Amino acid sequence: MVQPPAGLPMAARAEDLIGSIIDSSTSLLNEQSHDIVSFAMGSPAPESVPTDVLADIQATTLGAGAAEAFNYSATEGDPPLREALLKTLAGTSDETTGDRLTITSGGMQGLDLAFKLFVDPGDLVVVESPTYTNGSATAMAYGANLLEVPVDDGGMVVEQLPDLVERAGRTPKVIYTIPTFQNPSGATMSLSRRHELLELARHWGALLIDDDPYGLLRFEGQNVPTLRELGGGDPLVLSVRTFSKIIAPGLRVGWVDADPALQQPLIHAKQTMDTCANMPAQRLVTGFLEQGHLQPHLRTQCEEYRRRKVAMQQALDEHLGDIARWTDPEGGFFLWVTLDSEATGGLHTQELFETALAEGVAFIPGPALSPAGHFDNALRLCFASTSPERSKEGVLRLRRAIDSLIARGGRHA
Ligand SMILES: Cc1ncc(COP(=O)(O)O)c(C=O)c1O
């Protein structure tokens, strides 16, 4: 990486901006000229982006004379989108009211706003381990000290939290969780743990960031109420949502649901970032919701993602069954694969990445999903963006890369 020239008067906080290996994989993959099956980014399947519907909405709402759709909008969100979203959420676990709703530029901005308003340098922030490191990196950008809490099949192991906090010697200011179809493990936090986590947040007076971009993408099992619903309007629960996974990530439209008293601080914080979310994109989402496309779209997406998950698991069974195990999520985008250290000679997935890329397959190595760089022997695979046929090919390439790295004694070329 090129360092900024010495003598540039950079702010100390620039040091705390560690970047995202996940996001950087997009440009890395763009630079490759050979065929790559990418399991790296958490993107919806290209086929499930509703381009035809969006094109129709664009033609009717963003065409000639629609200057208003290209103007600034209110910082809290374009009124028609706010109205359509409130109607869409009515009767769901995320039902809310206008005074709690702020439209954001994707889920990432929701996280940035939350950490910006609640984290001072040196504050303790609880994160899951593994976690979505774009979220933990955002906390670090505001000077947070992170406390990693293990995740198992039932989500964050909340039972361990009191002991870990006691050992840290101070209570957390913020708890950051991805409770449903967690990124990267795919795990869903059980109802009892959700209650327990809420109780702990109240006990410590900690903000609970409920980051749930995948909850509507359940293709198996029973719904679990969101922390938003279980919190019953508790000001300590701040919920971050996004249209990225359920419509398209390039829209960069999401929302935050927070106590009404937080709306003004959220607006002020957002005004120092971007004034408002992208207006044409807000209008596209509005049309999509108003015309009733979301529910049928979610149904077909869920069906397809279940098919893709099963196909990837079958391919893993066939090609990696003797050297790895993996999770079995009931929704969302990801499988978390753990290599058997003995069978693979302690192979590190970060080392594997380059060999795998040369072999034509990409994934996110485990250490990129833990602020402390744990999970050397694990990797995240996104099953959602790849067809079953390509997925099989990708897993086969992954096995070839593993075998070739083992044959070379665990070092890449
Ligand atoms: C857990 C989690 N939170 C937030 C985001 C960010 O969402 P957006 O792309 O809308 O900024 C993602 C995207 O991968 C995610 O997985």
Side-chain angles (χ1 to χ4, degrees):
M1 196 177 73
V2 184
Q3 295 295 331
L8 265 191
M10 292 188 71
R13 90 176 66 84
E15 291 268 305
D16 291 330
L17 301 173
I18 59 167
S20 161
I21 291 176
I22 309 170
D23 293 357
S24 300
S25 71
T26 302
S27 27
L28 180 68
L29 294 180
N30 285 345
E31 287 161 14
Q32 311 301 313
S33 51
H34 62 299
D35 176 54
I36 294 173
V37 179
S38 177
F39 300 133
M41 278 304 276
S43 302
E47 307 77 19
S48 64
V49 175
T51 48
D52 47 350
V53 174
L54 294 173
D56 283 350
I57 299 169
Q58 179 174 345
T60 52
T61 62
L62 302 178
E68 193 214 17
F70 293 88
N71 203 347
Y72 294 112
S73 74
T75 304
E76 64 274 22
D78 187 32
L81 174 57
R82 292 170 53 78
E83 198 184 316
L85 182 55
L86 289 174
K87 278 193 191 141
T88 302
L89 297 176
T92 73
S93 205
D94 279 340
E95 173 159 352
T96 191
T97 49
D99 53 356
R100 300 183 55 94
L101 185 66
T102 305
I103 302 295
T104 58
S105 297
M108 269 313 298
Q109 187 176 61
L111 295 178
D112 198 336
L113 290 167
F115 288 121
K116 190 174 204 173
L117 292 180
F118 284 87
V119 173
D120 285 315
D123 281 345
L124 190 67
V125 171
V126 168
V127 300
E128 290 158 343
S129 184
T131 188
Y132 175 56
T133 36
N134 285 26
S136 54
T138 306
M140 285 169 72
Y142 292 108
N145 294 339
L146 303 179
L147 176 65
E148 294 191 45
V149 182
V151 168
D152 66 16
D153 288 345
M156 183 198 287
V157 186
V158 178
E159 308 86 277
Q160 289 189 18
L161 193 47
D163 276 354
L164 290 169
V165 163
E166 198 178 322
R167 259 184 269 155
R170 62 214 166 103
T171 57
K173 187 86 168 290
V174 174
I175 301 170
Y176 170 53
T177 179
I178 306 147
T180 313
F181 316 134
Q182 199 241 15
N183 181 358
S185 69
T188 292
M189 192 185 289
S190 65
L191 182 62
S192 57
R193 280 183 176 168
R194 287 177 195 229
H195 281 298
E196 218 177 310
L197 189 60
L198 271 165
E199 245 174 66
L200 286 172
R202 286 171 179 143
H203 176 68
W204 290 319
L207 181 81
L208 187 51
I209 300 181
D210 153 38
D211 181 18
D212 198 343
Y214 304 98
L216 295 175
L217 296 169
R218 174 178 285 283
F219 44 68
E220 284 165 12
Q222 296 299 314
N223 275 331
V224 185
T226 60
L227 287 166
R228 158 78 188 91
E229 180 178 356
L230 296 174
D234 190 319
L236 286 174
V237 179
L238 186 150
S239 299
V240 174
R241 303 289 186 262
T242 178
F243 289 103
S244 292
K245 316 296 175 172
I246 55 176
I247 304 181
L251 291 165
R252 312 306 302 136
V253 180
W255 72 99
V256 160
D257 179 316
D259 187 79
L262 284 174
Q263 193 171 43
Q264 211 52 52
L266 284 165
I267 288 171
H268 290 170
K270 186 170 159 58
Q271 286 171 342
T272 70
M273 295 177 186
D274 63 358
T275 301
C276 63
N278 178 297
M279 225 346 220
Q282 290 190 71
R283 288 289 163 101
L284 289 177
V285 176
T286 305
F288 198 77
L289 300 182
E290 277 177 350
Q291 294 171 19
H293 295 294
L294 187 63
Q295 283 317 319
H297 179 62
L298 286 173
R299 272 195 297 278
T300 47
Q301 260 187 310
C302 284
E303 231 169 83
E304 180 58 20
Y305 291 157
R306 202 188 89 78
R307 206 168 77 86
R308 290 178 178 215
K309 178 198 80 161
V310 170
M312 183 180 270
Q313 287 176 327
Q314 281 169 351
L316 287 167
D317 256 332
E318 189 176 334
H319 300 296
L320 263 70
D322 54 335
I323 55 166
R325 62 196 154 77
W326 46 90
T327 47
D328 185 25
E330 294 182 335
F333 279 13
F334 306 111
L335 292 188
W336 182 244
V337 178
T338 306
L339 301 179
D340 181 331
S341 293
E342 233 168 80
T344 59
L347 189 139
H348 285 195
T349 53
Q350 244 158 347
E351 288 184 0
L352 176 64
F353 183 83
E354 261 184 63
T355 309
L357 197 61
E359 204 54 73
V361 60
F363 58 84
I364 302 292
L369 296 153
S370 146
H374 299 308
F375 308 107
D376 270 342
N377 62 337
L379 51 106
R380 186 190 83 176
L381 299 180
C382 174
F383 56 79
S385 43
T386 309
S387 72
E389 298 68 36
R390 287 281 287 168
S391 197
K392 269 187 210 162
E393 172 62 23
V395 172
L396 179 64
R397 292 178 187 181
L398 185 60
R399 177 63 195 239
R400 271 197 227 125
I402 292 172
D403 286 345
S404 102
L405 197 58
I406 292 175
R408 276 185 272 132
R411 273 164 293 110
H412 49 77

